[in-house]
Amino acid sequence: MSAFKLLAAGVTDVGRVRDGNEDDFLDQSNRLGLVAVADGMGGHRAGEVASATALEALRAGVASGQQLANAIEGANDAVLEKSESDQELRGMGTTLTAGMLGTDGQLLVGHVGDSRAYLFRDGELTQITNDHSLVEEMVRGGELTPEQAEVHPQRSIITRALGIDPQVDVDVYPIELQPGDRILFCSDGLTTMVRQDEMAGILAREEDPKRAAQLLVDAANAAGGEDNVTAVIVEPVEVPEDEVAEPAVPDHDTSEIPPVKPRRRRGRTLLRVLVWVLPVLVVLAIAFLAVGWYARNTYYVGVDKDRVTIFKGRPGGVLGWDPTIENRTKIDLSQLTDAENEAVKENKTFSSRGGANDYVRRLNNAVQERTTTTTTTVPVPPEATVPPAPAPPPS
């Protein structure tokens, strides 16, 4: 099995349109085998605060021995806590796409938002992550083609980010590394400006990772630079097993902890019962919590009192975990088309509140559009005037 260490280089730039840079990146490839890109959002300075906060919390979490997904969840907590503690930072959030060197020659990629990770191998550039964006969900649902998504006016709307909700779903992708691989982490300021084949050409031509990252940023700016742009290039370098550096945070060693020897007591029967029952109770408790998490971390759009309604939970409930109403909208079923009616009555399910909100927003926009185009003013015809009174009879 090959052993690797990581070499990384990154560049971030404000672009040609924005006043400030809300992008940021982390390079802890030498010490922690960790790199990450974050694209902040929010008014004033909130976006840059969000991205910087998330990256620092990620670094601290990994340094303390956390798994990558747990460290990203901790970054979500840090951004949300800072947002709630300062009125000027309310509503801020950030994307986060990170890579951490794992065991057995793997790179674990953790992902939330629409920043991306790509694998460049044997001259081909392949996207690793899936965007958490409105248009990407519409593409996966067959509502848009990939070509339409590239120019859609709502392509910048993301459906998942750090700092928005107390809980966040983190996508994790394990990548089996090979000598010669390159992994590109970047913000959407690059991918919305530069075609994938052009990015592949730059990675193929330029061997120096720092120079390649700079050329990618330059290409985005040459195409208009409409957003902040960040590119981080990671290269796994194969090394002998005995030359792999010790991790900055070693695994906990329990070899010198003496075993616990229970004292013999009269109530040995009770002890035996507890030895058998307690593990069962623990398993049942874990199963119960897992079912509860599954039942309460899903949203769906259905019907309540003939109104389109957002529910939290699973349709019909799961083992006593019943769905609850999050928002009964003003959209009446009579305002929907037959296809929209059928979709709503089938309880369309989403992995986040944001996805459900976006779906309801699209329904409401469709209703408003139909109302605007079908409402007309009916003029009163001339023949509808009141006829004159008959003349009195001659005297």
Side-chain angles (χ1 to χ4, degrees):
M1 181 67 66
S2 298
F4 293 96
K5 65 178 181 179
L6 298 182
L7 295 180
V11 175
T12 186
D13 190 85
V14 68
R16 295 291 180 262
V17 176
R18 302 295 179 90
D19 294 328
N21 192 355
E22 296 180 325
D23 281 7
D24 204 351
F25 72 90
L26 174 72
D27 180 5
Q28 286 280 303
S29 52
N30 288 332
R31 182 172 181 271
L32 298 175
L34 174 69
V35 297
V37 167
D39 181 357
M41 59 185 182
H44 191 44
R45 62 187 180 93
E48 60 191 77
V49 173
S51 57
T53 300
L55 291 175
E56 172 54 27
L58 172 70
R59 184 206 62 77
V62 171
S64 68
Q66 293 181 5
Q67 298 296 321
L68 181 59
N70 294 335
I72 294 176
E73 291 170 355
N76 179 67
D77 295 339
V79 176
L80 186 60
E81 181 178 350
K82 186 175 284 291
S83 171
E84 293 175 344
S85 67
D86 188 335
Q87 185 65 37
E88 292 186 357
L89 303 178
R90 292 290 172 89
M92 73 177 183
T94 183
T95 70
L96 184 64
T97 303
M100 186 173 75
L101 187 62
T103 59
D104 300 329
Q106 281 193 340
L107 181 75
L108 297 178
V109 175
H111 171 65
V112 176
D114 65 349
S115 296
R116 291 180 180 178
Y118 290 88
L119 172 64
F120 183 69
R121 175 179 291 170
D122 298 329
E124 293 187 5
L125 187 63
T126 305
Q127 185 174 337
I128 297 171
T129 54
N130 291 322
D131 293 351
H132 301 136
S133 66
L134 176 60
V135 295
E136 184 63 24
E137 289 187 359
M138 295 173 73
V139 169
R140 288 195 290 266
E143 300 175 59
L144 290 177
T145 66
E147 293 74 21
Q148 291 171 329
E150 290 180 358
V151 296
H152 197 278
Q154 295 178 312
R155 62 184 181 277
S156 62
I157 297 177
I158 60 176
T159 57
R160 201 186 302 180
L162 301 188
I164 305 303
D165 294 314
Q167 294 180 328
V168 64
D169 293 330
V170 181
D171 293 347
V172 178
Y173 307 85
I175 307 298
E176 295 289 342
L177 296 175
Q178 296 181 12
D181 283 350
R182 275 183 160 181
I183 298 89
L184 168 65
F185 294 87
C186 60
S187 64
D188 68 335
L190 175 64
T191 56
T192 56
M193 292 285 100
V194 184
R195 298 192 313 273
Q196 186 166 321
D197 59 346
E198 186 177 350
M199 292 191 292
I202 292 173
L203 292 171
R205 290 192 304 271
E206 182 54 59
E207 294 184 0
D208 180 73
K210 181 73 171 183
R211 177 63 182 161
Q214 184 64 61
L215 289 175
L216 289 169
V217 170
D218 292 345
N221 284 330
E226 296 177 0
D227 198 356
N228 308 144
V229 56
T230 301
V232 178
I233 296 173
V234 178
E235 296 181 347
V237 178
E238 195 171 16
V239 295
E241 293 277 357
D242 56 357
E243 292 185 14
V244 177
E246 289 295 322
V249 184
D251 295 334
H252 296 293
D253 184 6
T254 60
S255 59
E256 297 185 7
I257 299 177
V260 178
K261 296 181 180 180
R263 292 176 293 175
R264 296 181 180 273
R265 300 191 179 191
R266 292 182 179 179
R268 296 178 65 183
T269 301
L270 176 60
L271 178 61
R272 289 175 181 174
V273 171
L274 291 176
V275 167
W276 285 100
V277 171
L278 284 178
V280 174
L281 293 177
V282 170
V283 170
L284 290 175
I286 293 174
F288 180 78
L289 293 174
V291 170
W293 183 92
Y294 171 78
R296 298 296 296 164
N297 279 270
T298 303
Y299 295 83
Y300 70 92
V301 176
V303 180
D304 183 75
K305 298 181 179 178
D306 291 329
R307 297 286 181 88
V308 174
T309 303
I310 297 177
F311 295 84
K312 184 177 183 180
R314 305 291 300 185
V318 179
L319 296 180
W321 298 87
D322 294 326
T324 57
I325 294 177
E326 291 289 290
N327 179 27
R328 186 186 297 112
T329 74
K330 296 181 179 180
I331 305 174
D332 194 274
L333 291 183
S334 63
Q335 297 174 287
L336 304 181
T337 65
D338 291 342
E340 291 169 344
N341 239 305
E342 183 177 352
V344 170
K345 290 180 178 178
E346 288 179 354
N347 297 327
K348 194 171 180 65
T349 304
F350 301 86
S351 60
S352 68
R353 173 68 183 270
N357 286 339
D358 290 334
Y359 178 71
V360 169
R361 191 177 300 114
R362 294 199 297 273
L363 284 179
N364 186 61
N365 290 342
V367 169
Q368 295 298 324
E369 184 177 350
R370 286 194 295 271
T371 302
T372 301
T373 57
T374 58
T375 301
T376 59
T377 302
V378 180
V380 178
E383 53 270 26
T385 58
V386 178
S395 55

